[in-house]
Amino acid sequence: MGIVVLTMKASVIEMFLDVPQINCDVKAGKIINPEFVVKCPAGCQDPKYHVYGTDVYASYSSVCAAAVHSGVLDNSGGKILVRKVAGQSGYTGSYSNGVQSLSLPRWRESFIISEGKPPKGVTYPSALTYSSPKSQAAKAGETTKAYQKPSVPGTTAEPVTLMQAPGTTLVKATHTTLPKPSLSAGSTTSSPRLQPVGHRSWDLGETDLWKLGSVLLDAGFVPKEELSTQPLEPISQGDPNCKVDLSFLIDGSASIGKRRFRIQKQFLADIAQALDIGPAGPLMGVVQYSDNPATQFNLKTHMNSQDLKAAIEKITQRGGLSNVGRAISFVTKNFFSKANGNRGSAPNVAVVMVDGWPTDKVEEASRVARESGINIFFITIEGAVENEKQYVMESNFANKAVCRTNGFYSLSVQSWFSLHKIVQPLVKRVCDTERLACSKTCFNSADIGFVIDGSSSVGTGNFRTVLQFVANLSKEFEISDTDTRIGAVQYTYEQRLEFGFDAYSTKPDILNAIKSVGYWSGGTSTGAAISFALEQLFKKSKPNKRKLMILITDGRSYDDIRIPAMAAHHKGVITYAIGVAWAAQDELDIIASYPAKDHAFFVDEFDHLYKSVPKVIQNICTEFNSRPRN
């Protein structure tokens, strides 16, 4: 057993400076490199290449088949970036992209796959280091030569197999065996990594690589019954009391300097440790900004605090300006997406760290972010003193950026050397999901009650047009039992509750319910309908929900509408009145909330109702977003 080292003359090495190729059957555990780019051939969708897990795969899986399963590659092959991560306590199988992955109880090492585009300035090895048993190589019929190096006192020599790459000339080796390293007390070695071309030394400080059981495990020499009994440290699934999707926007500008940039990274590592990262709890990604922002890693890249801390350590400073506004816009448009691991069910939080002050404006970018449901926190370190304020482009920038100006979202630190003191206060705040006010948007925070005129003057055909209008409005909202809820009342002389807020909790169910409403026919008692809706619909609204009534009518009411309308306004029900054809404008203005010009709409024909949908939605959101941020 040993480390397979590929040794070639310079002319041969030049042939392999490109991305190394592997076969479909190569398992991630056979490759020692902790992070590498490879090229997969076509045809790895074949079920004979086994995959274990979903998104995060056990290292017992075929690398290339996992790439197809993840959707990074199709069956035609291509380049991928593979990153090793910690073992999981369980892996769930699934069918995706033509590949059926399998479940596995546990495994000691995992890997994740992304597109094979290395970040700028990052290079990966042009040859891979394999952990492979000698017998397996011989069985495969590959050309091998074994060499024995004289023993070093205090160590045990192990044979190393030198494997010939296809199409190359085997060159006489200049070394033979690699003894198990002797680690000193001060050793700080990390995962094994190939040295750049021209270097002779190898960093092999990970002693587990030399344990026979570990190597056999990934090479496939483990009895089936042993799969679930390998010794593992418990893998945390994250703190379920802090389920947030978190982005840190860190300052990489030239003004921060190398020392303070290191302090900033240590602060991130301390946050990662305190948060207890995991799929059932908080997930964290990092964006570094300077002249332009760049994602260092997204929400799904690292699934535990240990891996996250290791990734933070590798971040290098970019240099340049402190364009915070541009970074916030970047995060709003790009970071919180499903492709980057945004879960939808977890609040989105962006923590902005600023050394001094931004070099661009943040107000407009932050407004868009807030309206998109992002909770912005601002940490200002060594802010401008009195004689420096003349250089600040935008005064009071932190209050213009944060979710609310009540002090909860702003932290000011006098010195970089005091930054560590706010680790726990910040963690406590970002985990307090009940106070993350900007998670609520105009699309996910209301109980909307439609009050629909079903009188004889409407007619069957026009009634179906009204229901389509109701459906078109409903489609715009995020519907669930915790987000926006929809209810409906139909009225003539009498009133009927078609369905309440708690009847349906998905958008398809709501749309089907609207479609199923039957036309009633009769008179037009709009005042009584408003009172009925307040009692039978809005009385059951949740306390933390905005109450919106959208009333659609085609004529003048037979009863008084003033007292019921005043009651609705007094109870905090924001009322929109939509009039069609013979509807009376003066009644629409009385029914509608103040100002009537923003809440009352009139169209001359039922077929023109659809034109008012965008304006109604715009006014609902404008009203929501104009509320004070204190």
Side-chain angles (χ1 to χ4, degrees):
M1 187 68 57
I3 304 300
V4 179
V5 182
L6 190 63
T7 308
M8 293 177 280
K9 289 182 178 178
S11 59
V12 180
I13 290 175
E14 290 173 0
M15 296 168 55
F16 287 88
L17 286 178
D18 293 329
V19 176
Q21 298 189 27
I22 61 173
N23 295 326
C24 296
D25 61 351
V26 173
K27 298 173 182 176
K30 292 174 64 177
I31 301 172
I32 290 177
N33 307 73
E35 191 172 330
F36 53 90
V37 173
V38 292
K39 185 174 182 181
C40 291
C44 295
Q45 201 176 49
D46 194 305
K48 68 182 179 182
Y49 306 120
H50 294 167
V51 178
Y52 299 89
T54 301
D55 294 332
V56 179
Y57 302 98
S59 63
Y60 196 60
S61 306
S62 158
V63 172
C64 296
V68 177
H69 181 272
S70 70
V72 174
L73 293 184
D74 56 27
N75 201 37
S76 61
K79 291 189 291 187
I80 56 172
L81 173 59
V82 180
R83 184 178 293 111
K84 298 285 189 72
V85 295
Q88 304 289 308
S89 58
Y91 300 83
T92 303
S94 65
Y95 182 83
S96 179
N97 302 304
V99 175
Q100 176 66 59
S101 70
L102 306 174
S103 296
L104 194 65
R106 55 166 57 189
W107 204 253
R108 72 172 187 85
E109 183 183 58
S110 310
F111 66 100
I112 56 176
I113 293 171
S114 55
E115 292 183 4
K117 295 178 181 178
K120 187 176 181 181
V122 177
T123 58
Y124 291 98
S126 57
L128 302 175
T129 307
Y130 290 86
S131 175
S132 177
K134 183 175 164 185
S135 59
Q136 187 183 25
K139 182 179 179 181
E142 294 174 301
T143 305
T144 64
K145 290 189 179 181
Y147 298 90
Q148 187 70 33
K149 183 175 181 179
S151 298
V152 178
T155 65
T156 303
E158 298 181 359
V160 172
T161 304
L162 183 63
M163 299 180 65
Q164 180 178 356
T168 65
T169 303
L170 188 64
V171 183
K172 184 176 180 180
T174 57
H175 59 282
T176 54
T177 56
L178 295 173
K180 180 175 179 178
S182 177
L183 298 177
S184 64
S187 173
T188 57
T189 53
S190 58
S191 300
R193 181 181 298 276
L194 283 177
Q195 298 294 329
V197 175
H199 288 242
R200 289 178 173 270
S201 61
W202 295 81
D203 180 4
L204 295 170
E206 187 69 57
T207 57
D208 281 349
L209 294 173
W210 299 88
K211 293 179 181 178
L212 180 62
S214 298
V215 177
L216 285 174
L217 184 66
D218 275 336
F221 289 81
V222 181
K224 185 176 181 180
E225 61 271 16
E226 293 291 325
L227 288 179
S228 62
T229 59
Q230 301 302 319
L232 281 176
E233 293 184 5
I235 302 298
S236 173
Q237 295 299 302
D239 180 2
N241 296 315
C242 182
K243 189 176 180 181
V244 295
D245 288 342
L246 177 63
S247 171
F248 266 85
L249 283 68
I250 63 171
D251 192 338
S253 63
S255 64
I256 193 173
K258 292 182 178 179
R259 185 179 184 186
R260 288 180 290 184
F261 190 77
R262 286 196 299 270
I263 295 173
Q264 184 175 216
K265 291 204 303 180
Q266 183 57 54
F267 174 74
L268 289 186
D270 293 343
I271 291 287
Q273 185 64 44
L275 278 174
D276 187 13
I277 300 296
L283 296 179
M284 177 174 156
V286 173
V287 171
Q288 183 181 172
Y289 68 87
S290 52
D291 292 339
N292 294 296
T295 301
Q296 302 293 151
F297 45 84
N298 62 34
L299 293 167
K300 67 179 182 181
T301 308
H302 303 291
M303 289 290 170
N304 59 69
S305 296
Q306 182 179 353
D307 289 346
L308 187 58
K309 288 166 64 179
I312 290 167
E313 179 57 33
K314 295 178 183 178
I315 296 175
T316 56
Q317 186 178 359
R318 294 168 61 84
L321 300 175
S322 299
N323 289 333
V324 176
R326 186 175 294 178
I328 293 172
S329 293
F330 173 84
V331 166
T332 304
K333 295 175 183 177
N334 302 294
F335 187 86
F336 290 110
S337 66
K338 187 175 181 180
N340 286 332
N342 186 39
R343 290 173 286 186
S345 59
N348 293 162
V349 178
V351 179
V352 184
M353 301 184 67
V354 182
D355 174 45
W357 57 87
T359 53
D360 65 348
K361 293 185 176 181
V362 303
E363 185 171 16
E364 179 60 19
S366 300
R367 181 189 65 79
V368 175
R370 290 193 301 270
E371 292 177 6
S372 300
I374 300 174
N375 296 273
I376 300 179
F377 287 77
F378 232 81
I379 302 175
T380 307
I381 308 102
E382 298 182 7
V385 295
E386 196 60 38
N387 64 350
E388 293 175 322
K389 290 182 178 178
Q390 59 181 314
Y391 304 115
V392 178
M393 179 175 292
E394 187 177 32
S395 61
N396 204 23
F397 58 84
N399 273 348
K400 292 176 180 177
V402 293
C403 174
R404 294 288 184 270
T405 57
N406 55 11
F408 182 76
Y409 296 87
S410 301
L411 290 149
S412 182
V413 183
Q414 297 303 312
S415 167
W416 278 95
F417 302 105
S418 302
L419 188 59
H420 65 279
K421 296 179 181 179
I422 68 166
V423 170
Q424 290 302 328
L426 179 62
V427 167
K428 185 176 180 180
R429 294 186 192 191
V430 300
C431 291
D432 190 354
T433 55
E434 292 298 318
R435 294 191 65 180
L436 297 180
C438 285
S439 298
K440 296 299 181 184
T441 70
C442 60
F443 296 109
N444 68 8
S445 59
D447 280 344
I448 303 176
F450 288 95
V451 181
I452 306 167
D453 184 347
S455 61
S456 302
S457 58
V458 175
T460 303
N462 289 334
F463 188 76
R464 306 317 301 177
T465 303
V466 170
L467 292 183
Q468 186 59 56
F469 170 74
V470 172
N472 289 343
L473 282 172
S474 300
K475 287 177 184 176
E476 298 294 323
F477 294 90
E478 299 171 26
I479 295 172
S480 77
D481 56 354
T482 57
D483 295 312
T484 290
R485 303 187 303 168
I486 305 290
V489 167
Q490 184 182 177
Y491 73 95
T492 57
Y493 283 127
E494 300 177 281
Q495 307 82 37
R496 182 169 72 195
L497 179 65
E498 299 293 353
F499 52 90
F501 292 134
D502 56 355
Y504 305 104
S505 59
T506 68
K507 190 174 294 187
D509 287 346
I510 285 291
L511 297 179
N512 284 333
I514 293 169
K515 185 178 179 180
S516 301
V517 172
Y519 176 48
W520 205 358
S521 186
T524 310
S525 295
T526 305
I530 295 172
S531 297
F532 180 86
L534 292 177
E535 183 65 26
Q536 299 298 320
L537 198 58
F538 288 100
K539 195 172 184 179
K540 299 177 182 178
S541 182
K542 292 184 177 180
N544 62 337
K545 297 287 187 181
R546 294 168 64 239
K547 302 174 183 65
L548 303 181
M549 181 190 298
I550 301 178
L551 184 144
I552 308 106
T553 183
D554 80 327
R556 185 175 288 277
S557 177
Y558 292 175
D559 63 352
D560 178 65
I561 49 92
R562 292 178 181 274
I563 293 176
M566 289 176 61
H569 302 161
H570 180 72
K571 292 180 179 180
V573 178
I574 302 168
T575 308
Y576 290 82
I578 316 295
V580 190
W582 303 281
Q585 185 66 55
D586 61 323
E587 286 192 348
L588 298 179
D589 291 346
I590 292 170
I591 294 168
S593 294
Y594 180 85
K597 66 180 179 65
D598 294 331
H599 298 85
F601 300 85
F602 179 84
V603 295
D604 54 359
E605 296 180 16
F606 283 94
D607 288 343
H608 294 166
L609 267 174
Y610 75 93
K611 295 180 180 179
S612 61
V613 170
K615 185 62 176 175
V616 173
I617 295 296
Q618 179 184 338
N619 285 15
I620 288 173
C621 287
T622 298
E623 183 174 54
F624 178 87
N625 295 322
S626 63
R627 297 174 307 163
R629 292 194 299 115
N630 51 29

